[in-house]
Amino acid sequence: MSPGAITYQALFYLFAAGIVFSGLRVITARNPVHSALFLVLALVNAAILWVQMGAEFLGIILVLVYVGAVMVMFLFVVMMLDINAATMRKGMTRYAPLGLIISGLIAAEIGWALWGHYLGIANTPHTAVAPAGISNTEELGRALYTHYIYVFEIAAVILLLGIISAIVLTLRWRPNTRRQDINQQLRVHKTSDHMRLVDLRDNSRGRKES
Amino acid sequence: MMSLTATDYIAALPQIFLLGMVCVLLMFAVFVKNGRDEVLHYGSLGTLAALAIITGELLRGHSIIAFNGMLIQDAMGDVLMLFAYAITAAIFVYARGYLKDRNLLSGEFYILTLLALLGAMIVIQGYNLITLYMGIELMALSLYTLVALSREDSRASEAAMKFFILGAISSGTLLFGMSLIYGLTGTLNIGILGAKLAATPAPGLGVWIGLGFVVVSMAFELGAVPFHMWVPDVYEGAPSGMAIFVGSVPKLAGFAFFMRLLAEGLGDLHGGWLWLLTALAVGSLFIGAVVAIAQTNIKRMLAYSTINHAGFILLGILAGTAEGYRAAMFYVIAYVIMFAGAFGIIMLLSRAGFDVEKIEDLRGLNERSPWFAFVMLMIMFSMAGAPPFLGFFAKVEVIKAVLDINMTWLAVFSVVMAVIAAFYYLRIVRLMYFDRADPDAPGIIATPDFKLLLSVNGLVLLGLGIFPGGLLALCKAVIGF
């Protein structure tokens, strides 16, 4: 193996280990804010892996959208909600043994599968190395808007559904909210429709008397 | 890169039409104030009727694979979609009065239900794992919102939350399995995947692990043990008008998912997934039969009945023969008709401020309404698998398919479980006929279309039970391999 390939692999394992470590810390951190920050770290590591594989566009998008937008909002929510960590950990000791057994079983299964070289990785088709001069972004766009156009449209429908759901579940028509009613605002014709004159002298007299 | 032709759009025409109508109805729901409910109700029913005509026109013997292998239009999918339209239309009629009494009959109910139907259609027509995933997401997200639509009701919110979290885990499992399959075979197209795996002498274990994760998600969709925990909670917590949809149309889609991936794609690897499905089926038959006995809530009881039925549907699929697939399709169609009828009865007996929850609420129904007590009797007998009702033939066909592959022990086991399950169906019949009604129980009020449809729903079970040939022939004709 050439030194370049060794460096490449070493970097891959470094960042892959980074993902695993920060993933573990997400679920073990005591403070929910720390959990969220570790999730950011995991995402940044994943973005680096993508860039290493030649998918720069996806790596940048991951950082911009997930780290930049989604996780920041997540942090806001975590900080705004007063999460009591103690009550959340109450059932921990009760469920821990069962959880450990199940995760142990899954780890053993995966380990056994990897150990025996049964995974069939030898049959894996290798991704072709893109020739120079082909833009990652352009190719992604091309695939998305031609080959995968049907699925792309379904994604659009899912976003529409997301908008409808978010509005349905959060919009409340409470009677006392001071909502802007544009219809009512436009119906104003005379000055007296939107201005009410109050005689202040009456008020001052009333105060004097009392 | 292939360019799209008219054939592609024709294959997807029902989906495109439904999406267009959803947008039109959405605009109505937002901007029209007077008579909005009527417009949406009849508009939705009209949309479903038009869809049935379109799908009926497109129905033909051979299949078309469209959009670069993303979508397939074939007779099996078309027939499943036709039943999905019919059940959705029935749900709109059943749920209308019930939801109106509870101030839940908003435009969103129609929009979300139609979008969930669109998701189910995408799954039914999916020929690529990505398409199947997107369809399931669209369907599931609509269902979560439908369940949560009753915001003031803390039980509905709890049910929606459980459904959402477990559904998200199931989606993650599906994606994880898909990524393993894609990484090891380089394709997500079901046809190519099947051909590739059949060509390699022994597919690597990695592919099997990936497939296992995908099957977990499919079993979740169908409500099979051990991925059934959400079913009772969602049926119990969700308003009946929503639960009836959650329990019916998605099952048609779940069946299609199994058929597309396992039967059409990986039919040659039958020996590999046979035991996986056997384990799911045995668990579902057992839990669905035994745990239901302990239920006092009728919606929870019906949830366990769903789980039991999921086991029978899996029996047909695991046989891996054309007869087995036909039997499973026959069973899933019979199941959705019975299930819609059972929830129709629940909504018939519920009224403003009162929900039928306990099994005891059906006590003495024969005194209050002999006809609907008889309809419920037909539904319960059919679910139990008693002749001459539809459920009997569904069970017979499935068990015959299992016997054909020499799994006698499984056939015997399923019959024993069916007998145990018959106990709780017959308990309802006993309550309706041999117990006295609550003297101050009010009369049954329902619109004529509701009563007519519910009667037809019950009579269909009897009619198709006496003459099952037509539906059997239909299932035979559309599953042709």
Side-chain angles (χ1 to χ4, degrees):
Chain A
M1 232 194 276
S2 67
I6 292 173
T7 324
Y8 186 89
Q9 287 219 337
L11 283 175
F12 172 82
Y13 284 113
L14 178 69
F15 292 118
I19 296 179
V20 174
F21 167 73
S22 35
L24 278 175
R25 289 297 288 147
V26 170
I27 53 172
T28 52
R30 285 179 166 268
N31 188 332
V33 176
H34 293 178
S35 287
L37 289 173
F38 273 112
L39 194 51
V40 171
L41 184 62
L43 290 171
V44 171
N45 274 310
I48 294 172
L49 282 188
W50 275 354
V51 172
Q52 206 189 5
M53 285 173 198
E56 314 92 47
F57 180 72
L58 286 180
I60 293 167
I61 284 294
L62 185 69
V63 172
L64 280 182
V65 174
Y66 276 86
V67 178
V70 175
M71 285 314 296
V72 169
M73 203 184 69
F74 212 90
L75 270 177
F76 269 127
V77 173
V78 169
M79 286 175 178
M80 274 156 113
L81 294 175
D82 185 22
I83 297 174
N84 188 348
T87 50
M88 282 175 66
R89 269 198 296 276
K90 223 160 65 182
M92 184 72 181
T93 44
R94 237 176 76 208
Y95 298 122
L98 187 65
L100 279 178
I101 292 172
I102 291 174
S103 46
L105 273 177
I106 293 174
E109 277 171 17
I110 293 176
W112 173 74
L114 291 172
W115 199 256
H117 301 286
Y118 285 132
L119 272 181
I121 290 173
N123 304 336
T124 311
H126 286 273
T127 32
V129 180
I134 283 190
S135 149
N136 200 292
T137 318
E138 195 184 322
E139 283 306 305
L140 259 180
R142 210 182 282 281
L144 213 53
Y145 289 107
T146 57
H147 193 84
Y148 292 105
I149 182 69
Y150 173 64
V151 190
F152 186 74
E153 294 292 334
I154 302 174
V157 180
I158 292 179
L159 288 182
L160 173 71
L161 170 67
I163 297 171
I164 298 173
S165 302
I167 293 175
V168 169
L169 294 180
T170 52
L171 185 65
R172 285 159 198 269
W173 298 101
R174 277 173 303 193
N176 297 327
T177 47
R178 304 192 170 212
R179 223 160 31 84
Q180 186 183 16
D181 189 345
I182 296 173
N183 252 336
Q184 208 183 353
Q185 288 177 334
L186 290 178
R187 257 186 265 130
V188 169
H189 291 301
K190 299 193 299 282
T191 322
S192 56
D193 279 350
H194 58 97
M195 200 188 276
R196 193 157 51 92
L197 294 177
V198 180
D199 196 343
L200 288 173
R201 281 171 306 173
D202 282 353
N203 281 352
S204 57
R205 197 185 300 145
R207 207 172 288 149
K208 249 177 223 160
E209 279 167 9
S210 62
Chain B
M1 195 61 66
M2 268 165 36
S3 60
L4 300 179
T5 60
T7 329
D8 292 309
Y9 293 104
I10 289 171
L13 195 58
Q15 296 178 11
I16 296 171
F17 176 77
L18 178 56
L19 180 60
M21 284 312 290
V22 165
C23 294
V24 170
L25 290 172
L26 183 62
M27 288 300 111
F28 259 112
V30 173
F31 290 113
V32 177
K33 289 278 179 287
N34 297 330
R36 185 174 66 184
D37 288 352
E38 278 70 27
V39 169
L40 280 170
H41 186 72
Y42 292 106
S44 304
L45 290 179
T47 304
L48 291 170
L51 272 175
I53 293 169
I54 293 173
T55 307
E57 285 292 316
L58 294 176
L59 185 63
R60 57 176 95 76
H62 59 97
S63 54
I64 300 169
I65 293 173
F67 286 104
N68 303 316
M70 290 287 163
L71 173 146
I72 186 171
Q73 189 236 323
D74 63 352
M76 182 191 85
D78 287 345
V79 169
L80 285 176
M81 289 201 297
L82 284 173
F83 277 100
Y85 307 152
I87 294 293
T88 311
I91 289 169
F92 283 149
V93 174
Y94 287 159
R96 192 167 180 221
Y98 176 90
L99 294 178
K100 208 179 231 167
D101 287 343
R102 285 156 187 77
N103 277 330
L104 291 172
L105 193 72
S106 51
E108 293 86 12
F109 168 70
Y110 291 101
I111 302 297
L112 290 170
T113 309
L114 289 176
L115 279 174
L117 174 68
L118 178 62
M121 287 160 68
I122 292 169
V123 177
I124 289 172
Q125 292 201 310
Y127 201 58
N128 188 302
L129 281 174
I130 296 184
T131 316
L132 290 168
Y133 170 73
M134 297 298 265
I136 282 191
E137 278 303 282
L138 181 59
M139 187 169 76
L141 287 170
S142 316
L143 294 181
Y144 306 148
T145 318
L146 270 178
V147 172
L149 211 52
S150 155
R151 282 191 316 212
E152 311 298 319
D153 182 355
S154 63
R155 284 201 311 171
S157 306
E158 185 191 329
M161 203 63 203
K162 282 178 181 165
F163 194 15
F164 177 68
I165 289 174
L166 291 176
I169 294 174
S170 153
S171 290
T173 325
L174 178 59
L175 272 182
F176 185 59
M178 274 167 58
S179 65
L180 279 179
I181 291 175
Y182 185 69
L184 293 168
T185 63
T187 183
L188 286 176
N189 182 295
I190 286 171
I192 301 173
L193 180 69
K196 270 197 176 177
L197 289 183
T200 43
L205 192 62
V207 177
W208 285 119
I209 293 178
L211 201 64
F213 276 106
V214 173
V215 170
V216 165
S217 172
M218 288 153 71
F220 175 86
E221 222 51 57
L222 208 58
V225 173
F227 311 102
H228 65 290
M229 302 305 273
W230 62 277
V231 185
D233 289 337
V234 171
Y235 284 14
E236 185 192 0
S240 300
M242 283 61 174
I244 184 175
F245 191 86
V246 175
S248 54
V249 173
K251 305 298 173 198
L252 292 171
F255 165 76
F257 195 168
F258 271 97
M259 285 300 292
R260 295 277 181 234
L261 183 63
L262 295 184
E264 292 179 19
L266 308 175
D268 293 336
L269 301 172
H270 173 243
W273 48 262
L274 168 66
W275 295 103
L276 202 55
L277 291 204
T278 310
L280 291 174
V282 167
S284 308
L285 288 169
F286 181 74
I287 300 280
V290 173
V291 182
I293 293 174
Q295 304 303 319
T296 52
N297 182 311
I298 187 161
K299 283 157 87 180
R300 284 189 86 86
M301 193 211 90
L302 284 173
Y304 282 100
S305 146
T306 297
I307 295 165
N308 187 259
H309 290 309
F312 276 103
I313 294 166
L314 286 172
L315 282 188
I317 299 171
L318 70 84
T321 54
E323 286 75 29
Y325 300 142
R326 286 164 195 158
M329 185 168 172
F330 187 86
Y331 201 107
V332 76
I333 290 170
Y335 160 76
V336 291
I337 299 174
M338 298 186 291
F339 183 83
F343 262 79
I345 292 279
I346 290 181
M347 280 188 273
L348 177 80
L349 300 180
S350 302
R351 54 189 179 271
F354 172 74
D355 267 297
V356 170
E357 294 265 330
K358 296 235 161 16
I359 293 176
E360 274 75 45
D361 292 339
L362 291 171
R363 192 187 291 276
L365 183 61
N366 186 37
E367 289 169 23
R368 293 166 62 197
S369 165
W371 170 243
F372 286 109
F374 180 66
V375 170
M376 187 61 170
L377 172 120
M378 289 195 284
I379 295 167
M380 286 297 118
F381 272 12
S382 182
M383 280 191 169
F389 297 101
L390 182 59
F392 170 71
F393 286 96
K395 282 197 168 62
V396 166
E397 289 294 314
V398 166
I399 291 168
K400 222 157 61 183
V402 175
L403 282 176
D404 280 347
I405 58 162
N406 295 321
M407 290 179 84
T408 318
W409 67 270
L410 190 56
V412 172
F413 178 76
S414 68
V415 172
V416 172
M417 288 305 138
V419 171
I420 295 175
F423 166 75
Y424 59 81
Y425 298 123
L426 293 181
R427 183 170 62 185
I428 289 194
V429 173
R430 194 200 54 145
L431 275 172
M432 288 191 306
Y433 280 91
F434 299 110
D435 278 18
R436 308 287 302 172
D438 193 1
D440 42 68
I444 288 163
I445 317 150
T447 52
D449 55 342
F450 187 123
K451 285 182 172 172
L452 179 70
L453 188 66
L454 193 56
S455 310
V456 169
N457 195 331
L459 289 173
V460 160
L461 294 177
L462 182 62
L464 285 177
I466 296 172
F467 306 106
L471 189 55
L472 273 176
L474 185 68
C475 294
K476 270 201 177 78
V478 298
I479 296 184
F481 50 88

